[in-house]
Amino acid sequence: MLRRPSLALACLLAATALRAAPLPAEAPAAAPTEIVILGGDTQLDPDTGEMTIAHASVRDGDSLFQADEIHYNKRSETVVAIGHVALTLTLPRGSGRILASSLVYHRKDGTLNAEKVRAGYHPWYVWGDSADGTLSRIVIHHAQVTYNEPGKWHPIIKADAIIYSPGHYVRLGNSKVGVAGVAMIPLWHPAATLNASGALYYVTFDAGYRSSLGAIGNAYYRIPFSDSVRLGANLSLFTSRGFMAGPAGEYQSADGSGDLQGYFRSGWIYDYGHRGLDLLDRPVPHERAYAEWRQQDQVTDSVTLNADVNWWSDSEVVRDFRPKDFYNVQQPDNYLESVYAADNYLASVFTRFNPNSYEPVQERLPELRFDQLPSAVGAGFYTRGETSAVQLLERPPAGEGPDLASDRLDLFYGIERPLTAGDWFSFTPVAGTRIDRYSDTTGARNPGGYTRALGEVGFDAQMIASGVFDYNNPHWDIDGLRHLLEPHVNYRYIPEADAGRNFIPAIDRQTFTTYLEPLDLGDVRYLDDLHAANTLRLGLDNILQTRDSEYGSRDLVAFDVDEDLLFKRQPGDKEFDQIHTDFDLTPAKWLDFDVATIFAPQNFAIREVETGLTLRDGDKWTLHLGNDFLRQENDAYVAEAVIRLNEMYRLHLLSEYDDRQHLFPQQSVALEENLVNTWAIRYVVTLSSGPNREGHFGFAVQLDLVRF
């Protein structure tokens, strides 16, 4: 269970996250203008020249004074506001407001004094016993500051004095931070801007229990050092394993454009618990660590720079200590890529490397590539091309196989000539050639390198037909029907594509996939593992639509079928390849049903079936039922429900069943709480069965500071 000191620590991190900013320059006093009375009952004392306005609304230049009563002395140029005072200031970016029980403003020098003051600039609010200063720089005494709005569970900072200006404030004097109205943790004296919308961007706490780790406590925080850089650390305690810590941070474009964004995080632990074996059946070491870096950078309108780097000391470190991250990335990738995009071509540099010692990776050190996009060359012809130079390397872990290496030069050139009949039929003959030069090879059956020249011919044919039907069904919100029928035929003939296999290390090789492989020689990625091809692909796409009540049309039914006829077959292939189907039914916005299948046409033996049924009632609840069947690999079922109980609570239920092992691998119940629109609290109970590293029972409480 989270305790109050943890919340106080959250406030400490939040307060220290406020970035330094210089005090605004003192604005010179503007030349006095005439007071304009906008409302209220006015009386004038002829002896003193003092004007009294009851229930007043008075404008003085860019300042608007409102109060129960305002006294204005023209001789001394003094404004005295009493009772429910509201001073509104016009700012370059919106307006600022100061509330007080009473206020005295001296127009000649622009100074003021006030009692019981409240002010702020979203998401920061400050109030205090008294204040003095100018309209651009106010010192509030015995002050308090809250994030978002005052409330019982909101972070709070107390200080002897706060210097506040519309749009900015700076803490001064002794200050403390806390929560629930109690401030106990002392702070140093950083400066901060009230309009730093991301000042409390990331403060997260986790606490819980897992049978494999013991009691768990996690703290993730980021301190903004500027509008674009936040630095901090990830801290974790596992009572059965040890303490994990590592630096972390995130960054983005300083101008807020989003052209640059990235993050890094890390952790190190001396694991004294039961560690087990890694993927290679080797004992997991005591010292364990990980480091991750992601970046997406739109350097210019034409240049991008992306990075994805993952270093794990062993194959299980993220799975053991960060299971949610491991669920998304179970085989870490490591690459750097920069792309220059012109009007009709792409030039890129790409490198994939392997800093880890437990998995095989097809490294590219690096790959220089030029892609010419389809371009018209006259007489209706279009051409495209690819050129690349790459150094390939694969080093199997733990010496489980020979090292493979090669230097490869690759060139592809393709040409096509679309022929159309109106807007309902197109026939496109295609031809292409691919030339590859392999040198400095290692691991091939025969050394010495190889030069391979391949050619392809074929065609792509497509027809589009449609029918419109005057059918209406108010119950299902159907306003007319339109059926789109799109049959297509694709053919490729690539003879002798397996020539020279004994001289080529199979690094870029064909891998297991349930998707249809590309037919075109220019699209194939497994260049080192090519086979001769003589394939005719038949496909039929169906879409049934209706008019959408809001805009355009919406799909009711989609049904696609694809099948390959293999005239050239590899050992084990049949004349007719497996049939792929995709079916999606969405008759209403609250219902979505989809089925994807792969089966053999000879005996209808099913290779794969994926189904999903989703029911929803607006934002009240969502229910998803699905299964994933893959012959000789997997047969799993999942049920997931999200129920919105009220404005504060939401329930998330998950259950998985493995029919092959006849057990429930994972079941979880999560209750999500929104506390005063400031804290997001998630309580999770997880039950697991069967062999796993995560343990059979887990409980966690996660605390996030909601971003505004």
Side-chain angles (χ1 to χ4, degrees):
M1 179 179 295
L2 291 178
R3 298 175 296 176
R4 180 169 296 179
S6 296
L7 298 177
L9 179 57
C11 299
L12 170 62
L13 300 175
T16 57
L18 302 174
R19 70 179 180 88
L23 292 177
E26 186 73 23
T33 58
E34 290 296 326
I35 288 285
V36 178
I37 301 174
L38 302 177
D41 300 327
T42 305
Q43 296 180 359
L44 178 64
D45 187 335
D47 297 331
T48 63
E50 183 170 289
M51 184 183 299
T52 302
I53 309 105
H55 308 293
S57 180
V58 174
R59 180 172 293 280
D60 181 18
D62 291 335
S63 304
L64 176 63
F65 295 87
Q66 294 173 299
D68 293 342
E69 184 175 286
I70 292 180
H71 300 267
Y72 172 58
N73 191 308
K74 188 173 183 180
R75 297 175 185 174
S76 62
E77 294 290 334
T78 302
V79 176
V80 179
I82 303 172
H84 300 95
V85 180
L87 171 57
T88 304
L89 306 173
T90 302
L91 304 173
R93 292 180 295 175
S95 61
R97 205 170 191 218
I98 300 172
L99 305 180
S101 61
S102 63
L103 183 146
V104 179
Y105 175 56
H106 305 281
R107 300 183 71 225
K108 289 183 179 180
D109 58 8
T111 61
L112 61 81
N113 303 93
E115 300 293 330
K116 303 298 182 184
V117 177
R118 290 178 290 160
Y121 197 89
H122 183 77
W124 304 101
Y125 294 85
V126 56
W127 69 96
D129 293 342
S130 61
D132 53 64
T134 67
L135 293 179
S136 62
R137 187 166 178 264
I138 305 168
V139 180
I140 302 176
H141 303 280
H142 299 101
Q144 299 183 42
V145 181
T146 61
Y147 177 73
N148 189 27
E149 61 185 27
K152 181 178 180 181
W153 293 106
H154 293 270
I156 186 172
I157 300 169
K158 293 185 178 182
D160 292 341
I162 296 289
I163 296 181
Y164 167 77
S165 66
H168 301 80
Y169 80 84
V170 180
R171 282 189 304 277
L172 291 179
N174 296 323
S175 55
K176 297 180 180 180
V177 66
V179 74
V182 179
M184 299 180 296
I185 302 175
L187 301 176
W188 57 87
H189 306 152
T193 59
L194 275 175
N195 57 356
S197 59
L200 289 181
Y201 169 58
Y202 196 79
V203 179
T204 300
F205 292 90
D206 288 62
Y209 173 84
R210 274 175 48 197
S211 54
S212 61
L213 300 177
I216 303 170
N218 296 316
Y220 314 121
Y221 67 92
R222 309 290 185 264
I223 298 176
F225 283 81
S226 69
D227 286 340
S228 58
V229 178
R230 302 177 180 91
L231 301 177
N234 292 348
L235 307 174
S236 302
L237 175 64
F238 310 95
T239 58
S240 298
R241 310 295 284 271
F243 180 74
M244 173 176 279
E250 53 195 36
Y251 53 92
Q252 61 183 5
S253 305
D255 57 5
S257 64
D259 290 342
L260 170 64
Q261 53 185 348
Y263 71 87
F264 68 90
R265 59 192 179 200
S266 62
W268 178 92
I269 186 174
Y270 185 86
D271 187 353
Y272 54 74
H274 177 69
R275 300 174 305 282
L277 305 177
D278 66 5
L279 284 177
L280 303 176
D281 292 329
R282 301 176 304 187
V284 173
H286 283 287
E287 294 193 39
R288 311 178 67 184
Y290 74 93
E292 302 174 4
W293 173 44
R294 307 280 193 281
Q295 175 173 297
Q296 293 179 325
D297 186 6
Q298 187 73 42
V299 182
T300 67
D301 290 341
S302 302
V303 179
T304 61
L305 177 61
N306 299 320
D308 188 348
V309 178
N310 301 268
W311 173 75
W312 298 358
S313 62
D314 59 85
S315 61
E316 311 302 318
V317 60
V318 173
R319 180 176 183 177
D320 285 348
F321 301 109
R322 301 181 63 91
K324 290 189 295 185
D325 295 331
F326 179 77
Y327 181 83
N328 297 322
V329 182
Q330 300 185 19
Q331 291 183 317
D333 200 1
N334 292 275
Y335 70 83
L336 302 172
E337 180 183 39
S338 182
V339 180
Y340 174 79
D343 291 338
N344 66 337
Y345 69 86
L346 302 173
S348 62
V349 180
F350 178 87
T351 181
R352 171 172 281 118
F353 53 96
N354 184 19
N356 303 311
S357 61
Y358 51 83
E359 62 175 348
V361 173
Q362 291 75 44
E363 299 182 73
R364 317 176 91 79
L365 304 170
E367 180 177 29
L368 307 179
R369 186 178 178 89
F370 179 88
D371 292 86
Q372 176 198 330
L373 304 179
S375 304
V377 293
F381 285 90
Y382 291 82
T383 64
R384 69 184 181 105
E386 304 170 10
T387 303
S388 68
V390 59
Q391 183 183 53
L392 298 169
L393 177 63
E394 182 176 1
R395 295 168 291 188
E400 292 190 344
D403 289 354
L404 304 178
S406 68
D407 293 345
R408 186 182 70 201
L409 296 176
D410 174 57
L411 171 66
F412 171 80
Y413 181 81
I415 187 169
E416 59 185 41
R417 175 59 166 89
L419 304 171
T420 61
D423 58 357
W424 63 274
F425 178 75
S426 67
F427 180 82
T428 305
V430 299
T433 182
R434 190 152 209 162
I435 301 174
D436 297 298
R437 170 59 186 169
Y438 292 86
S439 59
D440 292 335
T441 59
T442 300
R445 295 178 184 174
N446 298 327
Y450 187 76
T451 299
R452 180 182 63 191
L454 304 176
E456 74 165 348
V457 294
F459 65 85
D460 298 320
Q462 182 179 17
M463 184 179 72
I464 300 177
S466 63
V468 178
F469 308 93
D470 187 17
Y471 174 79
N472 295 275
N473 190 322
H475 179 74
W476 292 95
D477 195 22
I478 295 177
D479 181 13
L481 293 174
R482 177 173 61 184
H483 181 208
L484 301 177
L485 185 68
E486 300 181 12
H488 58 84
V489 180
N490 310 89
Y491 173 73
R492 292 295 186 276
Y493 175 59
I494 309 174
E496 300 182 0
D498 51 2
R501 292 176 63 88
N502 290 342
F503 297 90
I504 300 174
I507 301 175
D508 279 347
R509 55 185 176 271
Q510 193 168 9
T511 59
F512 173 80
T513 178
T514 59
Y515 297 98
L516 284 169
E517 294 282 6
L519 289 179
D520 197 272
L521 181 60
D523 297 330
V524 173
R525 309 288 5 126
Y526 46 92
L527 294 183
D528 305 340
D529 193 23
L530 291 176
H531 298 277
N534 189 359
T535 304
L536 181 70
R537 177 168 295 172
L538 307 174
L540 180 63
D541 299 342
N542 291 270
I543 301 177
L544 186 64
Q545 301 175 320
T546 188
R547 298 182 184 91
D548 189 82
S549 57
E550 298 179 358
Y551 178 78
S553 60
R554 63 184 177 92
D555 295 344
L556 298 174
V557 181
F559 180 54
D560 303 335
V561 182
D562 291 280
E563 159 74 355
D564 285 349
L565 179 60
L566 306 178
F567 300 110
K568 176 67 175 180
R569 295 181 291 277
Q570 301 303 315
D573 288 344
K574 305 295 183 181
E575 180 179 0
F576 289 93
D577 200 5
Q578 300 178 94
I579 296 177
H580 295 244
T581 70
D582 287 285
F583 176 78
D584 193 358
L585 174 66
T586 53
K589 295 180 179 180
W590 53 268
L591 173 62
D592 189 352
F593 177 67
D594 59 86
V595 180
T597 66
I598 302 176
F599 63 92
Q602 295 84 1
N603 54 11
F604 293 96
I606 296 176
R607 177 188 179 189
E608 181 180 14
V609 177
E610 293 184 6
T611 65
L613 172 65
T614 303
L615 304 171
R616 61 179 64 87
D617 183 6
D619 63 348
K620 294 181 179 179
W621 57 266
T622 300
L623 174 64
H624 174 76
L625 305 174
N627 91 295
D628 183 3
F629 169 80
L630 184 62
R631 182 171 295 277
Q632 297 181 349
E633 293 289 339
N634 184 48
D635 188 6
Y637 300 83
V638 61
E640 186 173 9
V642 178
I643 305 170
R644 182 176 179 268
L645 303 177
N646 52 41
E647 294 182 354
M648 291 182 58
Y649 294 99
R650 187 170 64 169
L651 190 64
H652 191 165
L653 308 174
L654 174 67
S655 180
E656 299 177 356
Y657 178 71
D658 189 327
D659 190 50
R660 292 186 181 276
Q661 301 184 65
H662 303 291
L663 53 81
F664 291 89
Q666 180 178 351
Q667 299 181 83
S668 67
V669 178
L671 179 64
E672 300 174 357
E673 178 183 4
N674 183 337
L675 186 59
V676 295
N677 288 328
T678 301
W679 308 101
I681 308 175
R682 181 179 173 89
Y683 313 89
V684 185
V685 176
T686 303
L687 301 176
S688 303
S689 57
N692 62 75
R693 296 184 61 91
E694 291 77 14
H696 300 297
F697 174 77
F699 173 73
V701 178
Q702 180 177 350
L703 176 66
D704 294 313
L705 184 64
V706 178
R707 182 183 183 185
F708 290 87

